[in-house]
């Protein structure tokens, strides 16, 4: 990349370079990855056929199912074995159709992360510091270490790089006080320089500490929020606790790829177009700014498991290409996973992001979950705090009827408990219909 | 049209009938009138389909292994637990799947370290399952009932002065259909520090019970009395108390670690679910709750109270019947136990109602013998309704009784 170029030129330049990278990755995967060779042969394509982005789009997308079904024999590049000490293992938190086991060279994942984090330059030193005092606090299956087990000791959960993994419970809201007390004590001892957290988990811990630890909060440090999309009410609670001068940065990552996008100091979520060749597609064509688009990712590293035209199932909107922060990576808005979208009459009625915008971050609200059980059956459960007054939530119910139709059956209930997904992740919007539509091949 | 395609404002029994294949059954030329819902309810096709789906498409064991089907079953099973938790206003780890209400109550009675000289306050109209587990272990004291069969709250207050360790309440009598003022009785019991155990087997099919709002410590109910399959019941236990109870059964699936020197129990609720549980039962139960939610619990409650009033008022018009009366303004479920004043074997009368009229009623002591003997001095016939029953069903019952009365 030539730093003397203007931002738009930088993007074009990068696109060109990346496409050369794509061609190399295709040639590499075709030669070394059995699954991909078969995939190309089924489409009657060879690497030589891919001379332009238009040619590239002729390769049928690959999906999580391909990588799950063919792991490890047919997706591992020739020359690698699962015993290779350079490989890092990444189990996804998903269950059944969402589950996946991935391995990749550790340095490739680190490079993708560093490329992504370049979007927030002041964070880079603390991010790459070694040894470090980082905290990881996320769903048990996301912690990628068995030691997130709640019955373990602090020393069992201290990784060699200095990252402390906090103990977690599968069903977040039933976490025993003993574990939360232990988390609070360990945070105090560890005095973290940076947090890598699931925002729902962290907001829950903050609420607990405020209520039961004499108003104490975790030691403030920059927060990298990942694992699940951050709803506004969780963000409010974390930012309220740490203050606006402590960076809160949303990070999009996937267990099979690593970091994909990072929020800049001005709040723009930038896609890492350096480590990946990115496609944002709507009805099979590149999406226009503002349109809903699905993210397809192609890796460029000639690594252990190349991903080519990998259909993520994650939906975004490209919002701008000229963020005032000065970084040339394009800015996107997360709309959520397609399988979590709310549908009416086979069309998208509301995205998880649209739902969160509708709800906002009122001070009285601690947590919520929307669920679509079938075409016209919905439930909305919410947990409030001491600032809540009767009827404050009415605007949400009204809006839901407006967006989803007055003919729906909606259970709308204030509660003290909302279950976590069995994966240990807390998703604020889930949909049986969305799941079915996605599995049946619904595409934007 | 099935309920799945309806947005119901109130209960439309014609629509609902389509969901219950058994309601189309003709027995010896008589259309079925099922009035034995306090014993067990009928199952809608949505519940039957879910149970079948488990066996046809999944069939795997839960929490044992990492394969796809096992994970699918485990996820569905735990989602069933969460569904119950949200249904009763508890946390997920406070819901234990058991065989039935009886097993749930026995687990509590056996696990609370009760000694023979401890007092346990029990309702006179208790089902045996909320009476015998306590009498076996403790000094049980019965709350008196008045001449209408209703609880004597003054006597209850007196008994609380004994400092009982447990108060075992029956929310709705399976004999009289009378509802106890559980919220008030729980408040009173909590003032003396008693553990409150609620048998909700007859009430929860008809109304939402929020355990948090009520302040009770344990609650038991069965799926089969609310459209679900038999063999699956629910024990709710407050987190802190469940952690104090020792599991009755030890074995697979309820331990984290075992070696030759000992074992480490799994966290609640799993430590109470030793061995392979009734997995398909949880599928059916989940479908049943979803079905009831679609009908709406306000609608269910209204329907239950309306049919209860009709049963009682029609019975009162007939001098030849002996029933448990009730005072004004006392909530009564659509359950009526009765016998003919002039006698007649209740078993035979139940058989005649069934075979000649297609009306299915229960006869016997209703597993509540002390109460039934006290009021009726012997066995009774019981008619009990659910939301798919109509006022016409009740009138058919009384028309049949009017005919039969003449032959005795």
């Amino acid at each position: 990349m030539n730093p003397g170029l203007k931002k738009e030129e930088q993007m074009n330049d990068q696109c060109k370079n990346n496409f050369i990278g794509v061609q190399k990755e295709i040639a590499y995967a075709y030669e070394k990855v059995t699954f991909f060779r078969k995939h190309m042969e089924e489409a009657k394509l060879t690497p030589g056929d891919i001379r332009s982005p238009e040619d590239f789009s002729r390769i049928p997308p690959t999906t999580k199912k391909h990588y799950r079904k063919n792991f490890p024999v047919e997706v591992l590049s020739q020359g690698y074995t699962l015993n290779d000490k350079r490989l890092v293992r990444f189990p996804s938190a998903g269950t059944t159709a969402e589950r996946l086991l991935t391995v990749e060279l550790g340095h490739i994942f680190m490079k993708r992360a560093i490329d992504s984090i370049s979007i927030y330059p002041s964070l880079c030193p603390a991010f790459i510091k070694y040894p470090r005092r980082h905290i990881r606090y996320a769903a048990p299956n996301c912690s990628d270490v068995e030691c997130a087990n709640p019955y373990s000791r602090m020393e069992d959960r201290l990784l060699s790089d200095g990252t402390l993994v906090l103990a977690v419970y599968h069903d977040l809201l039933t976490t025993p006080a003993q574990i939360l007390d232990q988390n609070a004590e360990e945070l105090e001892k560890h005095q973290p320089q940076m947090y890598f957290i699931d925002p729902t988990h962290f907001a829950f811990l903050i609420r607990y500490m405020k209520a039961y630890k004499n108003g104490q909060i975790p030691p403030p440090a920059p927060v990298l929020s990942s694992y699940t999309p951050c709803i506004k009410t969780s963000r409010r609670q974390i930012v309220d606790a740490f203050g606006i001068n402590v960076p809160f940065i949303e990070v999009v990552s996937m267990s099979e790829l690593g970091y994909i996008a990072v929020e800049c100091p001005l709040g723009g979520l930038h896609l890492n177009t350096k480590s990946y060749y990115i496609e944002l597609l709507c009805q099979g064509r590149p999406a226009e700014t503002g349109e809903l688009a699905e993210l397809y990712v192609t890796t460029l590293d000639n690594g252990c498991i190349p991903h080519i035209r990998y259909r993520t199932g994650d939906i975004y909107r490209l919002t701008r290409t000229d963020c005032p922060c000065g970084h040339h990576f394009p800015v996107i808005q997360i709309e959520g996973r397609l399988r979590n979208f709310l549908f009416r009459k086979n069309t998208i009625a509301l995205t998880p992001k649209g739902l969160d915008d509708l709800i906002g971050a009122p001070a009285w609200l601690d947590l919520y979950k929307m669920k679509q059980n079938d075409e016209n059956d919905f439930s909305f459960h919410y947990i409030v705090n001491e600032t809540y007054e009767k009827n404050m939530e009415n605007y949400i119910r009204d809006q839901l009827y407006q967006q989803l139709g007055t003919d729906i059956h909606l259970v709308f209930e204030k509660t003290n408990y909302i279950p976590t997904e069995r994966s240990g992740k807390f998703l604020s919007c889930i949909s049986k219909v969305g799941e079915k539509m996605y599995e049946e091949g619904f595409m934007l | 049209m099935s309920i799945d395609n309806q947005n119901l404002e109130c209960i439309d029994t014609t629509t609902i009938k389509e969901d219950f294949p058994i309601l189309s059954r003709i027995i010896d030329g008589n259309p079925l009138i099922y009035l034995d819902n306090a014993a067990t309810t009928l199952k809608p096709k949505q519940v039957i389909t879910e149970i079948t789906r488990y066996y046809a498409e999944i069939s795997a064991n839960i929490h044992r292994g990492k394969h796809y089907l096992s994970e699918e079953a485990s996820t569905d099973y735990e989602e069933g637990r969460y569904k119950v938790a949200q249904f009763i206003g508890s946390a997920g780890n406070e819901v234990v799947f058991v065989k039935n209400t009886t097993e749930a109550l026995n687990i509590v009675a056996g696990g609370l370290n009760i000694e023979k000289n401890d007092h346990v306050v029990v309702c006179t109209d208790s089902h045996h399952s909320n009476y015998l587990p306590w009498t076996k272990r403790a000094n049980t004291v019965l709350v008196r009932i008045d001449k209408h069969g209703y609880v004597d709250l003054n006597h209850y207050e007196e008994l609380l002065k004994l400092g009982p360790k447990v108060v075992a309440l029956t929310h709705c009598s399976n004999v009289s259909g009378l509802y106890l003022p559980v919220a008030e009785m729980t408040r009173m019991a909590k003032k003396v520090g008693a553990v409150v155990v609620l048998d909700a087997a007859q009430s929860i099919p008809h109304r939402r019970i929020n355990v948090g709002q009520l302040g009770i410590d344990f609650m038991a109910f069965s799926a089969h009395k609310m459209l679900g399959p038999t063999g699956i019941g629910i024990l709710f236990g407050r987190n802190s108390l469940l952690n104090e109870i020792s599991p009755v059964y030890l074995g697979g699936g309820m331990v984290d670690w075992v070696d030759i020197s000992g074992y480490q129990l799994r966290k609640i609720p799993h430590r109470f679910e030793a061995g392979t549980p009734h997995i398909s039962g949880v599928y059916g139960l989940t479908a049943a709750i979803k079905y009831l939610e679609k009908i709406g619990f306000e609608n269910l409650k209204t329907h239950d109270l309306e049919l209860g009033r009709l049963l009682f008022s029609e019975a009162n018009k007939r001098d030849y019947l002996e029933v448990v009366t009730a005072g004004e303004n006392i909530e009564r479920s659509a359950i009526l136990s009765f016998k003919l004043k002039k006698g007649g074997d209740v078993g035979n009368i139940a058989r005649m109602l069934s075979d000649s009229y297609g009306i299915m009623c229960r006869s016997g002591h209703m597993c509540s013998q002390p109460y039934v003997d006290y009021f009726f001095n012997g066995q009774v016939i019981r008619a009990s309704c659910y939301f798919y029953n109509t006022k016409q069903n009740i009138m058919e019952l009384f028309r049949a009784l009017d005919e039969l009365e003449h032959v005795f």
Side-chain angles (χ1 to χ4, degrees), chain A residues 231-242:
Chain A
I231 58 170
K232 288 187 164 80
T233 190
S234 294
R235 186 167 183 146
R236 170 183 58 73
Q237 292 167 70
I238 298 167
V239 172
D240 282 354
F242 282 3

Side-chain angles (χ1 to χ4, degrees), chain A residues 68 94-97 99 151 169-171 174 374 376-377 381 407-409 413 417-420 422 432, chain B residues 4 7 63 66-68 71-72 74-75 78-79 82 85-86 90-93 208 239 256 267 293-294:
Chain A
R68 182 174 58 241
T95 55
T96 56
R99 69 183 190 165
Y151 301 114
Y169 224 53
H170 260 98
D171 189 9
T174 66
D374 60 36
N376 62 359
D377 185 22
H381 289 92
D407 59 331
I408 61 166
H409 175 259
E413 274 183 356
Y417 167 76
I418 304 175
T420 304
R422 204 176 147 259
K432 293 278 181 201
Chain B
D4 287 339
N7 185 17
H63 303 323
K66 296 283 184 191
H67 67 76
Y68 192 99
E71 201 162 273
E72 195 172 351
S74 302
T75 299
E78 292 306 321
E79 277 186 6
Y82 294 153
Q86 291 201 299
S90 76
N93 64 348
R208 281 291 288 273
N239 186 319
D256 277 330
K267 61 189 177 186
E293 282 179 343
K294 277 194 177 172

